[in-house]
Amino acid sequence: MSRHFIGKLIIVALALIVLVGGGSELYAHRHFKETIVKGPGVTRVAKLSDYFAPLKGTINDTNVFILEGSKPGGTVLVLGGSHPNESSGIVAAVLLVENAKVDAGKLIVIPHINRSGSTGTQPSSGYPLYFHIKTDWGERTFQMGDRVTNPLDQWPDPDVYVHYPSGQLLSYVEIRNVNRTWPGRANGTLTEKTSYAAMRLIEQEKVDIVIDLHEAELLYPVTNCIVAPTKDITIATMACINISSEFFDIHTEPSPQNYHGLTHREIADHSSAYPFLLEASGPFLDQPTGPKTESLIIDGKDDFLLIAGKRGLLFTDYDESGKPMKMRVGRHLTTVQALCSEWSSENPDREIVIESPGYEDLMENDVGHYLLNPAAVDPDSVILE
Ligand SMILES: [Zn+2]
């Protein structure tokens, strides 16, 4: 055997070691199943394909948790994971499934509206594959995701994405962003079919309000706010006034009239429901930060953002205490409560009354206190996402 041939064999062997070593972790992440426990308020678990059959068998045929109250009333739909790298939206949705009790009306929760996006992380961004939350009984593991649908599920991207039905032109990658494909298209891409299916759910379940949980950069002006279209600006503003006087700063941002594809625009224009998009400040999403670690997801502390804050470059307050997961999740849960409360006082015949932990509970007890132990419940109550 020549020396050249042996050299080639060594290169091939090294390449295989890298491929198998790195690839097996990505394969395991792609096929990881998050565990969710059906809490005491869950009365039914449906699939998104129950509302639009062509979604059946796809990765985005996600779980739909339904919590019905003993008294009739209105219906609220809460979406987590529109952007699966915005972790607190998913965790807040899971906390609702495991803890909320509905007195009047109906709460529908989809923790992973774009399940595909949770099966891969952002290329070249150095994301951790998972994050772990310590609980009273151990820990729970969550998948870290990307902002958009995994290209393994929808590919190739066009040069320019033409939004349906507005015809608006957007950057190519936005065709895999579920918060740019509303109101969806029955014969479109997987991402368009996903928002189309959710629109059918909104119609069939007679949803009154939709609350879409997100995180935003501290360097981005639309942060720590409720984005609302004109028709629900009064409810959003009243909720902000009440929350700001009691708990934390939050304000209302108007949904741009001509920016298409987003929940707060298209659900308002294509259904009778009132959509609200919540943004909590998430330091992990900012660009000038240190390494993208699990602790940045959980604690939200970063030295570069501290410097940026001292120079007045941030659109929110920021100090050594960071923006931890408990704060972001608590903000979301209290804002959901406040919006339901405002909705109910304006629409007493479609009242929605939900009990769930809120901001103060989360700040005192932390997130893990509210995550149930899958090993301690009836196996029928454990749902794999
Ligand atoms: Zn987002």
Side-chain angles (χ1 to χ4, degrees), residues 81-86 147 177 179-180 212-217 277-279 285:
S82 280
H83 293 144
N85 59 339
E86 297 170 12
R147 180 175 167 82
N177 179 350
N179 201 30
R180 297 294 182 278
D212 185 17
L213 307 178
H214 287 250
E215 286 183 357
E217 295 87 344
L277 187 149
L278 312 191
E279 296 281 16
L285 300 172

Side-chain angles (χ1 to χ4, degrees), residues 135-157:
T135 67
D136 299 347
W137 44 266
E139 66 175 21
R140 278 271 283 275
T141 305
F142 291 82
Q143 262 170 317
M144 189 57 187
D146 191 2
R147 180 175 167 82
V148 293
T149 301
N150 191 327
L152 290 174
D153 300 313
Q154 185 181 312
W155 188 259
D157 296 334

Side-chain angles (χ1 to χ4, degrees), residues 69-368:
S70 53
K71 295 180 211 146
T75 299
V76 53
L77 167 65
V78 176
L79 302 175
S82 280
H83 293 144
N85 59 339
E86 297 170 12
S87 49
S88 69
I90 292 167
V91 175
V94 171
L95 251 66
L96 279 176
V97 171
E98 300 196 353
N99 296 272
K101 288 180 195 146
V102 180
D103 184 35
K106 184 162 58 177
L107 165 65
I108 302 176
V109 186
I110 303 180
H112 290 279
I113 181 66
N114 189 2
R115 179 79 189 85
S116 166
S118 290
T119 64
T121 61
Q122 207 158 82
S124 73
S125 292
Y127 278 19
L129 294 175
Y130 307 92
F131 61 94
H132 303 83
I133 296 182
K134 287 193 179 63
T135 67
D136 299 347
W137 44 266
E139 66 175 21
R140 278 271 283 275
T141 305
F142 291 82
Q143 262 170 317
M144 189 57 187
D146 191 2
R147 180 175 167 82
V148 293
T149 301
N150 191 327
L152 290 174
D153 300 313
Q154 185 181 312
W155 188 259
D157 296 334
D159 290 338
V160 174
Y161 162 42
V162 183
H163 171 259
Y164 177 84
S166 72
Q168 173 184 266
L169 303 182
L170 288 156
S171 162
Y172 72 98
V173 75
E174 303 289 23
I175 199 167
R176 287 186 284 118
N177 179 350
V178 82
N179 201 30
R180 297 294 182 278
T181 56
W182 295 81
R185 176 154 48 173
N187 60 352
T189 62
L190 174 68
T191 317
E192 287 176 314
K193 282 179 182 161
T194 304
S195 30
Y196 184 85
M199 285 299 290
R200 303 292 74 76
L201 181 156
I202 289 167
E203 279 171 11
Q204 290 167 35
E205 296 284 355
K206 299 185 172 50
V207 170
D208 296 291
I209 59 178
V210 180
I211 305 176
D212 185 17
L213 307 178
H214 287 250
E215 286 183 357
E217 295 87 344
L218 284 65
L219 280 155
Y220 183 60
V222 184
T223 198
N224 280 346
C225 62
I226 303 174
V227 187
T230 312
K231 77 176 183 182
D232 39 351
I233 207 84
T234 308
I235 292 174
T237 305
M238 288 308 296
C240 286
I241 290 170
N242 291 336
I243 295 169
S244 299
S245 66
E246 231 182 311
F247 301 109
F248 48 81
D249 274 345
I250 187 166
H251 66 280
T252 306
E253 291 280 347
S255 168
Q257 198 67 42
N258 296 317
Y259 189 12
H260 291 284
L262 296 100
T263 46
H264 52 76
R265 178 74 273 135
E266 305 300 339
I267 293 173
D269 293 348
H270 293 271
S271 79
S272 57
Y274 284 53
F276 303 88
L277 187 149
L278 312 191
E279 296 281 16
S281 295
F284 186 91
L285 300 172
D286 278 285
Q287 285 313 321
T289 66
K292 301 292 188 193
T293 59
E294 260 195 86
S295 64
L296 186 55
I297 298 172
I298 302 295
D299 301 330
K301 293 179 184 171
D302 182 77
D303 291 342
F304 293 91
L305 287 178
L306 265 183
I307 295 168
K310 283 175 185 150
R311 294 185 182 177
L313 298 172
L314 304 181
F315 288 90
T316 181
D317 60 308
Y318 192 69
D319 60 24
E320 283 75 7
S321 58
K323 296 281 183 196
M325 178 71 81
K326 62 181 179 182
M327 176 189 281
R328 282 139 47 208
V329 171
R331 287 184 67 100
H332 280 330
L333 294 181
T334 284
T335 310
V336 168
Q337 291 271 11
L339 288 170
C340 289
S341 168
E342 283 309 317
W343 164 264
S344 300
S345 54
E346 300 247 329
N347 303 274
D349 54 323
R350 297 286 295 167
E351 192 183 29
I352 303 166
V353 182
I354 298 168
E355 259 181 66
S356 81
Y359 182 76
E360 288 182 328
D361 303 304
L362 268 290
M363 291 305 282
E364 188 175 332
N365 302 315
D366 216 332
V367 178

